[in-house]
Amino acid sequence: DAGVIQSPRHEVTEMGQEVTLRCKPISGHDYLFWYRQTMMRGLELLIYFNNNVPIDDSGMPEDRFSAKMPNASFSTLKIQPSEPRDSAVYFCASSLTRPSYEQYFGPGTRLTVT
Amino acid sequence: GNSVTQMEGPVTLSEEAFLTINCTYTATGYPSLFWYVQYPGEGLQLLLKATKADDKGSNKGFEATYRKETTSFHLEKGSVQVSDSAVYFCALSSWYGGATNKLIFGTGTLLAVQP
């Protein structure tokens, strides 16, 4: 089975530009998570969805960040406008049935905002 | 609230040395416990898990036992290899009162194994 797919793998953009990160979860998984990883703050949960519905977005840092899940096989994380402090690796993960079950992570998108 | 505390890194060992990475937790309800591993440039991968007290999770020579009395889930391996060099994350998830909780991660411990 294909794992969690993320695109792009690397993104370099200028401050003020809109950035869209994409994720395809493992087929059949009903939970989807977006994380951000930096050296300073470690691994942070931004938002998660259950059956395409956002459940907890308390980790989303600012209104500049938004996430959608229009269907069971696709999710986006958008940053508008982007800032240099948004530079990080963004991971998508999915799991089955409950979030207490193991999560499967994608390879991540490394975002650099100059 | 729920939290995970793991030992600071980096941990530097010679090949074939014994490894212990300490992890303790605070949780309400009935947590499941996990160890994830992140190799350079990759996402996190589940290494092992335990879902109830006294369970032992094991995989690839790594082991961890769920100790409710000491609220610990220490990761051990008898003989590390250079290929084990990675960042290791302890994590917990708890189902309490019908409400789901997020997966709570520790800060990660970098392991560097030298030949």
Side-chain angles (χ1 to χ4, degrees):
Chain A
D1 286 340
V4 175
I5 299 172
Q6 292 187 246
S7 64
R9 292 294 309 276
H10 301 273
E11 176 80 35
V12 180
T13 191
E14 292 183 348
M15 181 174 62
Q17 297 299 306
E18 178 179 293
V19 174
T20 299
L21 312 181
R22 297 173 176 80
C23 175
K24 177 179 170 57
I26 293 173
S27 177
H29 281 192
D30 51 359
Y31 278 89
L32 183 139
F33 306 81
W34 282 102
Y35 291 88
R36 178 173 68 176
Q37 186 178 41
T38 61
M39 289 295 292
M40 290 297 294
R41 299 175 68 90
L43 191 66
E44 303 173 277
L45 177 64
L46 301 178
I47 184 172
Y48 73 94
F49 296 81
N50 177 220
N51 291 322
N52 313 337
V53 176
I55 302 300
D56 184 349
D57 65 354
S58 60
M60 295 285 263
E62 302 171 31
D63 291 345
R64 298 184 296 106
F65 286 70
S66 62
K68 294 182 179 179
M69 192 165 186
N71 57 62
S73 59
F74 183 67
S75 178
T76 60
L77 178 68
K78 185 176 293 186
I79 308 172
Q80 167 63 21
S82 58
E83 297 183 3
R85 60 193 168 122
D86 301 330
S87 298
V89 181
Y90 291 82
F91 290 104
C92 176
S94 69
S95 71
L96 185 63
T97 307
R98 300 191 305 185
S100 57
Y101 290 170
E102 53 261 39
Q103 295 179 15
Y104 295 82
F105 281 73
T109 295
R110 180 173 295 277
L111 173 65
T112 302
V113 183
T114 61
Chain B
N2 295 349
S3 66
V4 173
T5 302
Q6 60 181 107
M7 63 189 290
E8 294 275 336
V11 174
T12 303
L13 296 174
S14 298
E15 206 164 24
E16 300 184 1
F18 185 85
L19 168 71
T20 300
I21 300 178
N22 291 336
C23 172
T24 57
Y25 68 90
T26 302
T28 53
Y30 308 99
S32 296
L33 302 173
F34 306 86
W35 276 101
Y36 280 79
V37 59
Q38 184 178 28
Y39 298 104
E42 298 184 11
L44 280 71
Q45 303 174 23
L46 179 67
L47 180 60
L48 53 85
K49 68 177 181 179
T51 58
K52 61 183 187 296
D54 299 326
D55 268 2
K56 177 186 282 188
S58 61
N59 186 27
K60 299 181 181 180
F62 291 89
E63 294 183 340
T65 300
Y66 187 158
R67 303 285 188 198
K68 191 173 182 180
E69 64 276 14
T70 55
T71 62
S72 64
F73 193 55
H74 304 321
L75 182 68
E76 296 181 337
K77 186 175 186 183
S79 176
V80 294
Q81 304 301 311
V82 172
S83 57
D84 294 326
S85 298
V87 179
Y88 292 81
F89 292 89
C90 185
L92 72 82
S93 184
S94 178
W95 180 273
Y96 179 71
T100 60
N101 279 338
K102 298 172 282 193
L103 200 61
I104 307 298
F105 284 93
T107 53
T109 301
L110 173 64
L111 170 65
V113 181
Q114 299 176 338

